[in-house]
Amino acid sequence: VSPAIVIRNARVLTMGSGPAPRRGQAMRQLGVIDRADVLMSDGVIRAVTPTGSGLRIEAEPQEIDAAGRVLMPGFVDCHSHLCWGGSRVDEWERQLAGETYQQILAGGGGIMSTVRATRESSAGALACDLLGRIDQAVGTGTTTVEVKTGYGLSAEGELKMLEAIQKARQYAVADIAPTLLLGHAIDPAFARASDFVDETIARTLPSASAEATRLTGLSAEMIAIDVFCERSAWSVEQATRLLAAGGDLGHPTRVHADQFTSMGMIGRAVSLNARSVDHLEATTADDARLLGASETFGVILPCCGFHVDGRYANGRMLVDAGVKLALATNANPGSAPCPSMLMAIALGVRFGKLTVSEALVAATVNAAGVLGLRDRGFIAPGARADLILLREHDERAVAYEFGSNPVEMTIINGKLVSN
Ligand SMILES: [Zn+2]
């Protein structure tokens, strides 16, 4: 139970009505009420009324005068790898000095160095680091964050990551949605890739699935199964097998697709009725249309292009094709060391060619849809009270500014958590 808070005189971005995912023109509608009062109690928004229309309040609430500043839903980061052990700063410096990614991989670097460090860390240490990173995200306006496993590879390693994520769920101020990224790298300890794939599908998947629902108390439909489909990782055939098996266990399915290579995974994901396809830097116009005609979300991750190679997904093409688009950080120790949705939005507008309104919808209500969370990402009576109050009177500042923080105040589950 949290005490009532009323925020008065705010420029409220309601994001229009309800949780239904937006596509096309609807992604430009922020449902602005120029001056409104928002009342919340016990973690839930109770009323949204134009200022001066006589909002009646029973108990004595904490009152905040927004003085015309923007109040909007907190950001939902629907794609992150925030749980990891070790550091890849050294290898980044070597890359800056001219070593190629292939040379670094050959020297035991890249994703396998994170796998080794994560395997060597305890669940407690992983949870502790994860909580610190989530605090950084909350400070920049994130109120719900998805966290993937994926640096364990083995059943044992994945279960330890799951345990760390669950520990963090108990203490984090933000809400954490766990995802089982069981198909990440191919474990080089296996002589044949197909043996590792068979092992993952036959053994790791069922045990991780059972353990995830038991540990978290969530139903299978709130825990996605994810896979990285790429030439150096899981093939389209292998990824399809894993996702089909995950779907049979009642999980939504997601896939890292088209990051470097358009391999045909989009069509496969659509026919599997996957929840989302994420990355999309190499996606063709034909695949964008296919996706736009489906119920599968597209998720773009522009922090990766900024940090690694200057390649960005064409958000403009995807929205124009009717794709239900979301935007996320992809925060991870290799390709996107960035927990800030503000940065993802700034890049999504500049390089993904989204309008500011589209980027804000992609970072809130559509992102919540990717996670199957229908109670957040918009401001309306009955919605979860996850809100951010900006320092600014103009929401375009969220995308326009970079390297600063326009978030003045963050409310999660009806509680004031920062600033
Ligand atoms: Zn990712």
Side-chain angles (χ1 to χ4, degrees):
V1 176
S2 54
I5 299 176
V6 63
I7 300 179
R8 294 196 184 274
N9 287 311
R11 176 176 165 84
V12 176
L13 312 188
T14 66
M15 315 310 281
S17 53
R22 324 296 202 239
R23 57 172 107 216
Q25 284 295 324
M27 282 193 68
R28 297 193 177 195
Q29 287 152 24
L30 300 181
V32 177
I33 309 176
D34 198 44
R35 283 293 182 282
D37 302 338
V38 175
L39 173 69
M40 65 207 86
S41 65
D42 300 332
V44 175
I45 295 170
R46 302 294 176 186
V48 183
T49 53
T51 299
S53 66
L55 172 65
R56 287 184 32 191
I57 298 167
E58 321 258 301
E60 191 81 337
Q62 180 181 357
E63 205 160 317
I64 295 163
D65 183 6
R69 287 167 295 164
V70 174
L71 181 70
M72 61 174 289
F75 300 124
V76 176
D77 189 353
C78 67
H79 184 134
S80 100
H81 307 254
L82 276 171
C83 185
W84 76 80
S87 163
R88 307 235 307 256
V89 176
D90 282 347
E91 89 185 31
W92 177 63
E93 201 171 40
R94 278 159 44 207
Q95 268 175 297
L96 289 177
E99 266 184 69
T100 66
Y101 186 68
Q102 295 309 324
Q103 287 170 321
I104 285 169
L105 272 184
I111 186 172
M112 285 311 296
S113 84
T114 299
V115 169
R116 277 194 308 277
T118 304
R119 283 176 173 172
E120 284 163 14
S121 303
S122 69
L126 291 171
C128 205
D129 288 349
L130 171 57
L131 281 166
R133 291 171 198 138
I134 287 174
D135 276 349
Q136 287 184 296
V138 169
T140 46
T142 298
T143 51
T144 297
V145 58
E146 183 251 26
V147 179
K148 300 179 196 294
T149 65
Y151 296 118
L153 304 187
S154 62
E156 186 192 13
E158 288 293 285
L159 294 181
K160 186 177 68 183
M161 287 196 74
L162 198 53
E163 201 186 314
I165 293 168
Q166 177 57 17
K167 275 186 205 289
R169 286 182 79 228
Q170 290 161 346
Y171 296 104
V173 286
D175 199 20
I176 300 177
T179 292
L180 298 171
L181 175 54
L182 300 180
H184 202 181
I186 299 285
D187 191 340
F190 285 71
R192 296 187 311 174
S194 62
D195 290 343
F196 174 69
V197 167
D198 291 345
E199 161 92 0
T200 302
I201 295 170
R203 204 172 80 81
T204 309
L205 171 65
S207 72
S209 168
E211 196 60 11
T213 49
R214 188 189 69 78
L215 266 181
T216 63
L218 297 169
S219 63
E221 66 186 24
M222 298 311 293
I223 303 168
I225 303 294
D226 200 345
V227 61
F228 179 43
C229 177
E230 190 52 61
R231 278 190 186 134
S232 58
W234 287 56
S235 72
V236 172
E237 291 309 323
Q238 292 165 339
T240 301
R241 278 175 56 208
L242 174 62
L243 296 184
D248 287 345
L249 293 173
H251 296 279
T253 53
R254 303 182 60 178
V255 52
H256 290 61
D258 290 3
Q259 182 180 3
F260 300 106
T261 324
S262 171
M263 292 171 44
M265 191 64 220
I266 302 295
R268 208 56 90 78
V270 165
S271 60
L272 282 165
N273 200 20
R275 176 65 62 71
S276 73
V277 288
D278 305 45
H279 266 294
L280 311 180
E281 286 88 334
T283 297
T284 63
D286 280 348
D287 277 349
R289 279 190 289 273
L290 193 65
L291 192 56
S294 79
E295 289 305 317
T296 300
F297 285 88
V299 182
I300 62 171
L301 310 165
C303 295
C304 213
F306 181 76
H307 186 66
V308 179
D309 55 9
R311 295 168 56 257
Y312 294 91
N314 187 342
R316 179 79 271 121
M317 171 183 79
L318 295 163
V319 171
D320 290 346
V323 175
K324 299 192 293 189
L325 196 75
L327 177 67
T329 63
N330 189 31
N332 75 75
S335 66
C338 172
S340 168
M341 285 295 286
L342 296 167
M343 186 69 181
I345 290 166
L347 296 171
V349 169
R350 284 169 183 75
F351 301 110
K353 307 297 178 194
L354 299 176
T355 68
V356 175
S357 300
E358 289 164 349
L360 295 182
V361 167
T364 55
V365 64
N366 276 11
V370 170
L371 302 178
L373 298 168
R374 297 179 56 83
D375 62 347
R376 66 196 76 183
F378 57 98
I379 298 181
R384 196 176 131 106
D386 287 355
L387 302 163
I388 52 178
L389 180 66
L390 306 184
R391 295 178 207 288
E392 310 287 339
H393 296 75
D394 184 335
E395 58 276 9
R396 291 175 297 183
V398 169
Y400 179 63
E401 293 182 12
F402 60 93
S404 63
N405 187 359
V407 178
E408 171 153 329
M409 188 182 282
T410 304
I411 294 172
I412 300 180
N413 203 17
K415 295 185 198 75
L416 213 52
V417 297
S418 73
N419 309 56

